Amino acid sequence: MDQFFEFIANHWLLSGTFAALLVAFFVNEVKRSGQSISSQQLVNLVNQERAVVLDVRDNTEYAAGHITDAINIPHASLQSRMNELEKYKERPIVVVCKMGQHAGSMGTLLKKAGFKQVSRLRGGLSAWQAENLPLIKGRA
């Protein structure tokens, strides 16, 4: 650990450049895939702005439990089924996956397709469940 601090002290310009690039990367990712929102922010967005919840988990996971009124389009099918979301283009869309790993890339696809208000649920459905929020079981 001492060597790490010594390296930073001796190469402050390199360390600063790396830190700046890291921050720029994260800012760019947020812009491309939509902001990350909490479970409570999702509830507020649905109630106040009629946000659409897009669940990109596979059909089996969706049937095991999903957010009320969520639309299920598995991440592998999103590009070919994008037309199903056209009627929601002017509404906020919140992408939900199991733990947040697919939501970012799905948000990027939606933004490229012209959806302006795209967000993703921070921590995915796992975070939703950890907060004991309601789930609907079975196909909607």
Side-chain angles (χ1 to χ4, degrees), residues 35-50:
Q35 95 180 52
S36 176
I37 63 171
S38 69
S39 298
Q40 186 58 53
Q41 288 172 310
L42 171 57
V43 170
N44 294 340
L45 208 53
V46 168
N47 290 336
Q48 296 169 4
E49 298 183 40
R50 299 177 350 149

Side-chain angles (χ1 to χ4, degrees), residues 76-91:
S77 306
L78 184 60
Q79 279 190 313
S80 63
R81 295 178 56 190
M82 190 79 70
N83 61 328
E84 295 175 37
L85 299 172
E86 282 297 317
K87 60 186 169 191
Y88 305 115
K89 215 164 196 168
E90 299 305 316
R91 289 170 52 185

Side-chain angles (χ1 to χ4, degrees), residues 4-75:
F4 176 72
F5 291 122
E6 182 180 337
F7 177 83
I8 290 174
N10 290 333
H11 300 90
W12 59 270
L13 184 61
L14 181 62
S15 301
T17 303
F18 177 74
L21 287 173
L22 192 59
V23 168
F25 171 76
F26 283 114
V27 167
N28 186 47
E29 281 301 303
V30 167
K31 282 183 180 178
R32 283 184 32 209
S33 61
Q35 95 180 52
S36 176
I37 63 171
S38 69
S39 298
Q40 186 58 53
Q41 288 172 310
L42 171 57
V43 170
N44 294 340
L45 208 53
V46 168
N47 290 336
Q48 296 169 4
E49 298 183 40
R50 299 177 350 149
V52 175
V53 178
L54 174 62
D55 192 322
V56 296
R57 298 174 302 142
D58 68 39
N59 297 334
T60 306
E61 290 176 313
Y62 179 82
H66 58 274
I67 296 171
T68 303
D69 295 331
I71 298 169
N72 181 229
I73 301 177
H75 63 89

